[in-house]
Amino acid sequence: MESRWGIMRKLFVWYAALGLIFYGTIAFFYMNTQHIMEISNQIVNTSYRVTDLADGIMDHLLTMEENEKKYLVLKNPQYQEYFTTALRDFRSKLAEAVTLLAGTKDAVPWEQLKREVDRLQPQIQARMANAEWEKLWIPEETLDRWIQRVVLFKQMEERQVEIATRSLHKRGRSALRWGLAGLGLSLLAGLVGVWQVARSMSRPLRELRRGIRSVTRKGSTEPIRILSKDEFGELAFAFNEMIHRLREEERMRSDFISMLSHEVRNPLTTVRESVRLLEEEVMGPVTDRQKRFLTIARKEVDRIANLLKDLLQASRLENQRLEINPVEIHPRDLVETTLHRLSPAAEAKGVRMRSEVGVTPPCIGDMEHLQKVLMNLVSNAIKFSPSGSEVTVQVHQDEASAHVIFAVQDEGPGIPESELSLVFRKYYRASTLKDRIDGTGLGLHIAKHIVEAHGGSIWAESKPQQGSRFCFQLPCKGSRP
């Protein structure tokens, strides 16, 4: 019983530590979310409304000034009615602003303005009722002072919105930082707990491992020693029953992994095809509005699929060496195949493609990977080229270095010289284009890994508004990389 309690105690402490960190992180996130919601509510329901009221108040003040001047000149009672309406709306919006800000320090200047207006209200009414009154009902300097104060109030409210927005950003960053810290602590606690529990389990596990090896290596069952009276002792008793089901469990596990792999690999394809069928009205007619949204959905699914593909490939290139199946490659075949595959995209964009392949010796490399490099460069050239322009793919031999050089020239907007050294970085996108054209910034990074894995190099040449030229070189057949 003592041994069993020892294991249970360790497990309890381990899970308690994990639970404490996890729920502490959740509580922190909750509190931050509550605070963020309060700030957002203040901005949306109070600050924005007060700003709108300030704009309305200034409009009413200007209307009042305009109509009282017209009345003094034309003596038209209609302008007096316009003035009265503007004054009523002005006082109504002012009262609403005071109500919204009630109980806050921002309400003080609004309340002072309201008290001043209320104090002058009888005088204004008396002047309007006096037919012999030949001056403005509200002095011009008073209206100007009120307008200046409202403008100041509006600026103060906008400043409050800016401060609240900064607070939201700060809270968000804090939540992210502490969330990552909580995740790290959870991982650390998990590793420490596993290590501690593993130490107390090492002897019975070694015995169990010996029994398992006897099954896997010899195909026979051998009883294992019972070293304790805890859960591991029960496991030892169940061992002989378990080995009879190993084959069945292995088959079930294999089927499960195969199914899981299929489900993870194909869901986006399934969604894309379903959307395409709906868009092409295979499942029935759709309205133009529905078709437009289906087209957007299909493009976004394609974008996600390409993004996942690029991310996975980039991750593999970072974590493991690229596997290359070298074969003899003729540059002309590589160029022609690439241009043929990308011709539909070029035609849709209205871009012409042209190849200039000189007499070059074959290269040794992986056709699939090198085609991916050239397709990436040409597709980028098509993407960034305007309609009616031309993309040129050139291939020639550099006899001095025994390399074959591939170059892709476009007539696009070009890349600033200061950014040429950055274009092959992971996730990097040119500052002049990232707001106008979608992309992940991974294509050139992947291409660089592939070319360098073949013993070559890749670079870019460009000037703003003069197009870009991306080049890579590969060793010729028989040369030393």
Side-chain angles (χ1 to χ4, degrees), residues 267-443:
L268 283 177
T269 302
T270 302
V271 172
R272 181 172 56 235
E273 290 302 316
S274 299
V275 172
R276 184 184 63 81
L277 290 175
L278 291 173
E279 182 184 5
E280 295 177 356
E281 301 186 2
V282 175
M283 309 302 294
V286 295
T287 64
D288 292 339
R289 178 183 175 89
Q290 292 170 335
K291 192 170 184 178
R292 185 172 69 253
F293 281 99
L294 286 171
T295 301
I296 295 173
R298 176 176 54 78
K299 290 181 179 179
E300 291 302 314
V301 170
D302 291 339
R303 180 182 176 187
I304 294 173
N306 292 331
L307 174 61
L308 289 175
K309 181 180 178 181
D310 289 344
L311 289 173
L312 288 173
Q313 186 171 9
S315 177
R316 289 169 184 167
L317 290 174
E318 293 288 343
N319 297 326
Q320 62 187 15
R321 185 176 180 180
L322 182 66
E323 294 184 3
I324 297 176
N325 299 317
V327 295
E328 183 176 296
I329 298 175
H330 293 277
R332 183 177 298 276
D333 296 338
L334 178 60
V335 172
E336 291 179 352
T337 302
T338 301
L339 296 185
H340 176 72
R341 293 180 62 179
L342 291 176
S343 58
E347 292 177 2
K349 185 74 179 293
V351 175
R352 301 183 302 277
M353 293 192 298
R354 182 169 60 90
S355 63
E356 298 177 359
V357 182
V359 179
T360 56
C363 306
I364 299 297
D366 190 304
M367 183 66 172
E368 181 181 355
H369 288 308
L370 292 178
Q371 190 172 76
K372 188 176 299 183
V373 173
L374 191 56
M375 285 190 65
N376 181 275
L377 298 182
V378 176
S379 62
N380 278 350
I382 295 172
K383 181 191 301 184
F384 296 113
S385 295
S387 178
S389 62
E390 186 175 74
V391 172
T392 305
V393 180
Q394 301 172 329
V395 183
H396 67 275
Q397 180 185 2
D398 184 359
E399 297 182 358
S401 60
H403 281 73
V404 175
I405 298 178
F406 296 77
V408 179
Q409 175 74 47
D410 63 53
E411 299 176 1
I415 302 171
E417 186 175 356
S418 59
E419 301 184 24
L420 284 177
S421 60
L422 307 175
V423 295
F424 296 101
R425 288 188 180 181
K426 196 173 183 180
Y427 305 119
Y428 180 81
R429 299 177 62 207
S431 59
T432 56
L433 300 172
K434 60 184 179 180
D435 295 331
R436 292 184 290 157
I437 299 179
D438 292 334
T440 61
L442 292 173

Side-chain angles (χ1 to χ4, degrees), residues 71-84:
Y71 179 80
L72 289 178
V73 174
L74 303 176
K75 299 300 182 178
N76 188 342
Q78 187 174 12
Y79 292 118
Q80 187 176 28
E81 294 178 3
Y82 291 158
F83 176 87
T84 303

Side-chain angles (χ1 to χ4, degrees), residues 128-141:
M128 292 175 63
N130 186 359
E132 298 179 358
W133 184 263
E134 295 296 332
K135 298 181 181 179
L136 295 176
W137 300 317
I138 302 178
E140 186 174 357
E141 58 273 14

